[in-house]
Amino acid sequence: MDFILPPTLPADGIPWEKVLPPLIPRLNGTYGQYNWSPKLLMPDTDNGSPAEVNCDDSGFTVQVDVKHFNPEDLMVKVIGDFIEVQGKHEEKKDGPGFTTRQFNRRYRIPKGVDTMALESAVSPDGILVISAPMLETDSRPLT
């Protein structure tokens, strides 16, 4: 059987509530004393946004929750029209193992943002704030 996937995924992810019921119809209903639903198999999604992105006349700002990372674990770089944020934290546990926490995020930089003045800092409560002003436009009339 061939599966045809859309060229891109929807912005809010895979619509599991539409995909799973036809695939697993037997899980709808009751089995013994238990009520089953395909929602039991759906991945939990955090409805809260992992980042807050704002752009207005004063500038462009991205705020990312990085409270599980130290500032030295983070890397912010501009690549083309995107800001890339990477975080990687390794922690040695008792015994022979490591615990690793890692993320990568990309944010498109709107037109008119002065990328040369981009700044980033981590607040005391663990929020990475990336900001850049808008480019100065010369609005004087030509004489």
Side-chain angles (χ1 to χ4, degrees), residues 96-123:
F98 279 94
T99 299
T100 301
R101 186 181 304 254
Q102 180 175 341
F103 76 93
N104 295 308
R105 298 276 188 272
R106 289 180 57 172
Y107 305 97
R108 183 177 296 277
I109 302 170
K111 292 194 184 313
V113 172
D114 185 1
T115 56
M116 297 305 289
L118 188 122
E119 296 178 342
S120 63
V122 178
S123 71

Side-chain angles (χ1 to χ4, degrees), residues 74-90:
L74 302 170
M75 183 183 306
V76 178
K77 49 189 171 176
V78 176
I79 299 177
D81 292 343
F82 290 90
I83 294 174
E84 287 197 5
V85 181
Q86 300 174 351
K88 185 172 183 179
H89 176 76
E90 288 186 347

Side-chain angles (χ1 to χ4, degrees), residues 61-79:
T61 306
V62 178
Q63 296 181 13
V64 184
D65 182 357
V66 293
K67 68 178 134 231
H68 299 293
F69 295 88
N70 296 320
E72 58 270 11
D73 297 333
L74 302 170
M75 183 183 306
V76 178
K77 49 189 171 176
V78 176
I79 299 177

Side-chain angles (χ1 to χ4, degrees), residues 7-58:
T8 59
L9 289 174
D12 55 346
I14 297 172
W16 292 107
E17 66 279 357
K18 293 180 182 176
V19 174
L20 286 177
L23 294 176
I24 312 171
R26 288 169 279 166
L27 288 181
N28 287 323
T30 304
Y31 180 77
Q33 63 183 7
Y34 302 104
N35 290 323
W36 291 95
S37 167
K39 289 189 181 281
L40 295 172
L41 298 176
M42 289 183 221
D44 288 334
T45 56
D46 183 12
N47 291 336
S49 175
E52 184 178 319
V53 181
N54 294 309
C55 186
D56 56 24
D57 293 338
S58 64

